Amino acid sequence: MKEGIEIMQKKLLKGTLSILAAIILSACTGDSGGMNSSMMMDNEDNPDQGMDQDGMNEMMDHGEVPSLASSEGVNELVIPPLLEKQKGKNYDYEVTAQEGITEFFEGISTETYGYNGDLLGPTLKIEEGESVNVKITNDLNEPTTFHWHGLEVASKIDGGPSDEIQPGESRIITLEADQPAATLWYHPHVHEMTAEQVFRGLSGMLIIDNSINSDLEIPNEYGVNDIPLIFQDRLFDEDKQLDYDNLMNVDGTLGDVSMVNGTINPKMTVTEPIMRFRLLNGSNARNYTFRLSNGDNFTQIASDGSLLDEPVDRKELTLAASERAEILIDFSKLTEEESLSIINEEGVVLLPFDVKDTDSTAGSIKTWTTDEPFLTDEEKEMPVTKNIELFGMMDMVSINGKKFDADRIDLRQEQGVTEVWEIYNKPDMMGGMVHPFHIHGTQFKVISRDGEEVEESEQGFKDSVAVEPGERVKLLVTFPEKGVYVFHCHILEHEDNGMMGQIEVY
Ligand code: C2O
Ligand code: CU
Ligand code: CU
């Protein structure tokens, strides 16, 4: 009963906040600001009451991000196992979404979701050019989908919101890795349930490998000197559960607990001089700026969808939700006494390293360059043919003034034909917020930000791009396959609230 009342109060508060959000969004622009009356109306929770002080405070706090607790380095980092090939079956790999129990806190069982296990999933590694059959099974008590984020596949196996697998159902799909070596990932994509399923633990890495890794002498031994790092923040309730309905924030659920590969308070023992880390921001909403605790540079070698034209030395690197980057860290010059950690913009220790007998004479970071520029002059000068306007906050989010409708096609583009998309993040009266914009079925190039050439770190293929309030980002977009794909904000609560559209590739 008490719980019922609390939920009621929560709903009332949410409704009140929505009204205030609506005022903020419309007042600032002097027009309907991408909102329409149906968006105002479709919130059944709107209570007929004024704003209370608490609600007002929460609203004014909008945009304030809770700090993460620093890792105390208690637990050895879990490295997701490589998904093993099946033998004697009519499929190569099997991925099952299931319920599980994880002991994040000593002696406490937390209910979680995972693929083939209790939490997160194994890493699926495919060679460039390889095609594999994957049996996907839903052992959850609710529908799910299997989305291969960043993989340029036919829309019918993309696992978007129209591709639900019901509880108990299985399907065998063929994934083709017809694109360069990259760090991709997989996660569910059921409309209005994506945020919750990811929050509870459904995510895994998908690596496309090819010979370029050995040609360029990039560390490539999975689990030894080639390590996936999935960064996520989580909020637990008093019972240390991930009770999404009660913990969620419509503007993007943020937590104060940092997890790397599902490990809380992690540390990583390093025995190799040069390590490659595949960073994934797998959070629902949080942005991370990664730095090294000693202020040294690290080397970025890849963006979301490919290696960079040449490695770039960086002091810091920001990833919005769903973005990836690959970096190399040189441990060879560290003495046993020196400590090194990956920290965030606030100096919070995300992953401390315990460096053990690395061979200080072995290896150094090799560099490479390509002759051709990543973007040709011709590509830079192509006219914009598609305009995307991101707007809103909380559940009042929209793309081009509309919310997602599975029965509506918002854009059309011809297969194999390159177009320039301009993504505009329209600010509101409170400034607005960063929206990470993602397109399915393609790896694009970022042409410019507000007309300026992008940094070297973005001169690689990408599938997600963080757009600052007021910013205009131009993308060069080509779809290799036909079908209907979604594009959306990758703050998962925004996506679930309809900040998503559909493109038909014909
Ligand atoms: Cu990470 Cu629509 O996806
Ligand atoms: Cu995706
Ligand atoms: Cu958003």
Side-chain angles (χ1 to χ4, degrees):
M1 189 59 203
K2 182 165 166 284
E3 202 172 284
I5 291 172
E6 274 173 15
I7 290 172
M8 270 285 293
Q9 284 172 340
K10 226 168 173 127
K11 284 200 167 165
L12 285 174
L13 180 62
K14 190 181 141 196
T16 315
L17 292 173
S18 293
I19 291 177
L20 190 57
I23 295 167
I24 288 168
L25 296 182
S26 54
C28 65
T29 52
D31 61 27
S32 66
M35 276 207 315
N36 53 42
S37 52
S38 76
M39 279 171 59
M40 292 285 297
M41 302 290 295
D42 69 12
N43 182 359
E44 327 108 303
D45 297 333
N46 276 356
D48 195 8
Q49 62 167 55
M51 192 66 197
D52 64 10
Q53 195 53 44
D54 270 3
M56 187 62 94
N57 287 343
E58 190 171 316
M59 199 64 218
M60 289 310 161
D61 284 352
H62 161 78
E64 249 175 53
V65 176
S67 293
L68 294 166
S70 274
S71 172
E72 286 152 23
V74 185
N75 306 308
E76 186 64 33
L77 179 78
V78 171
I79 296 170
L82 276 181
L83 187 58
E84 274 186 52
K85 243 188 184 154
Q86 303 279 328
K87 292 196 186 83
K89 302 251 173 69
N90 61 337
Y91 49 85
D92 304 298
Y93 294 105
E94 183 161 18
V95 183
T96 303
Q98 60 193 62
E99 293 178 358
I101 299 280
T102 302
E103 193 180 323
F104 290 111
F105 306 96
E106 222 187 303
I108 300 174
S109 298
T110 302
E111 290 177 21
T112 49
Y113 285 175
Y115 293 110
N116 300 4
D118 294 306
L119 182 72
L120 300 176
T123 298
L124 172 54
K125 195 168 175 178
I126 317 179
E127 287 291 317
E128 183 185 347
E130 195 187 3
S131 111
V132 295
N133 293 322
V134 184
K135 181 179 180 185
I136 48 179
T137 302
N138 179 7
D139 267 353
L140 301 172
N141 286 313
E142 58 195 34
T144 193
T145 80
F146 294 74
H147 171 54
W148 316 97
H149 181 125
L151 199 62
E152 296 175 320
V153 290
S155 67
K156 58 179 187 303
I157 51 166
D158 179 56
S162 61
D163 219 3
E164 283 187 10
I165 308 239
Q166 299 309 316
E169 242 191 273
S170 288
R171 196 176 297 170
I172 296 175
I173 58 169
T174 304
L175 295 180
E176 269 181 46
D178 218 357
Q179 65 194 84
T183 301
L184 314 179
W185 60 305
Y186 61 98
H187 63 78
H189 217 300
V190 206
H191 190 42
E192 297 178 336
M193 290 165 75
T194 299
E196 172 162 11
Q197 292 189 355
V198 172
F199 186 76
R200 287 184 185 271
L202 290 179
S203 301
M205 281 270 184
L206 168 57
I207 294 176
I208 303 181
D209 194 15
N210 75 13
S211 57
I212 197 165
N213 283 306
S214 35
D215 295 351
L216 297 175
E217 294 177 54
I218 305 171
N220 199 31
E221 229 185 299
Y222 186 85
V224 177
N225 57 15
D226 179 354
I227 310 288
L229 297 178
I230 306 174
F231 291 89
Q232 296 172 312
D233 60 336
R234 287 294 178 268
L235 192 60
F236 291 87
D237 65 14
E238 297 154 359
D239 302 326
K240 302 287 185 211
Q241 298 301 313
L242 295 165
D243 181 359
Y244 184 77
D245 287 342
N246 279 311
L247 298 170
M248 70 93 76
N249 174 341
V250 271
D251 224 6
T253 303
L254 297 160
D256 51 359
V257 176
S258 165
M259 293 192 330
V260 185
N261 297 346
T263 313
I264 292 177
N265 273 324
K267 69 158 189 295
M268 188 187 175
T269 308
V270 169
T271 54
E272 296 283 318
I274 313 281
M275 297 287 288
R276 173 198 209 162
F277 295 103
R278 300 172 184 264
L279 315 181
L280 158 64
N281 180 350
S283 295
N284 282 36
R286 177 181 289 270
N287 299 318
Y288 291 82
T289 296
F290 300 100
R291 295 185 184 140
L292 291 181
S293 54
N294 62 3
D296 275 3
N297 284 338
F298 50 87
T299 305
Q300 185 186 351
I301 58 167
S303 53
D304 297 336
S306 70
L307 291 175
L308 301 177
D309 275 0
E310 54 186 329
V312 272
D313 283 340
R314 314 201 60 185
K315 276 231 164 343
E316 61 177 43
L317 169 71
T318 301
L319 296 182
S322 86
E323 287 187 297
R324 288 90 60 210
E326 293 176 27
I327 63 169
L328 301 179
I329 299 180
D330 185 349
F331 291 91
S332 65
K333 304 293 171 295
L334 279 186
T335 61
E336 287 256 2
E337 298 78 56
E338 277 176 285
S339 67
L340 188 66
S341 307
I342 295 180
I343 60 173
N344 77 355
E345 64 285 357
E346 293 184 303
V348 168
V349 176
L350 301 172
L351 182 63
F353 296 108
D354 188 1
V355 185
K356 293 233 161 82
D357 8 279
T358 61
D359 182 352
S360 60
T361 57
S364 62
I365 293 176
K366 304 268 188 306
T367 190
W368 63 83
T369 41
T370 38
D371 313 333
E372 276 132 57
F374 182 63
L375 276 164
T376 64
D377 287 340
E378 204 185 317
E379 286 175 329
K380 286 184 201 161
E381 269 137 42
M382 282 178 65
V384 173
T385 46
K386 297 231 176 332
N387 285 285
I388 299 281
E389 187 180 281
L390 308 173
F391 186 67
M393 61 201 286
M394 305 188 64
D395 56 352
M396 301 281 169
V397 283
S398 63
I399 294 184
N400 291 347
K402 293 181 191 134
K403 278 185 176 287
F404 179 67
D405 179 348
D407 297 325
R408 188 187 65 228
I409 296 294
D410 299 280
L411 300 171
R412 298 183 79 237
Q413 184 165 329
E414 198 176 333
Q415 177 189 27
V417 172
T418 303
E419 291 198 39
V420 176
W421 294 35
E422 187 177 85
I423 321 300
Y424 173 48
N425 181 353
K426 183 173 166 178
D428 60 46
M429 162 186 166
M430 292 179 74
M433 59 193 293
V434 175
H435 296 287
F437 182 73
H438 168 53
I439 314 176
H440 285 214
T442 181
Q443 287 289 340
F444 52 72
K445 294 182 184 180
V446 186
I447 303 173
S448 62
R449 291 180 172 274
D450 284 336
E452 303 282 325
E453 194 175 321
V454 297
E455 282 182 47
E456 289 156 307
S457 59
E458 285 193 309
Q459 298 186 20
F461 282 97
K462 288 185 60 66
D463 53 58
S464 297
V465 65
V467 189
E468 298 283 335
E471 196 177 27
R472 289 175 193 276
V473 179
K474 275 195 210 171
L475 310 177
L476 196 75
V477 184
T478 316
F479 292 91
E481 305 272 347
K482 286 185 186 171
V484 176
Y485 296 95
V486 292
F487 51 87
H488 59 90
C489 173
H490 220 291
I491 291 177
L492 297 179
E493 285 76 8
H494 285 181
E495 173 192 328
D496 278 347
N497 279 308
M499 199 170 197
M500 178 156 71
Q502 294 191 106
I503 182 159
E504 180 179 1
V505 182
Y506 61 96

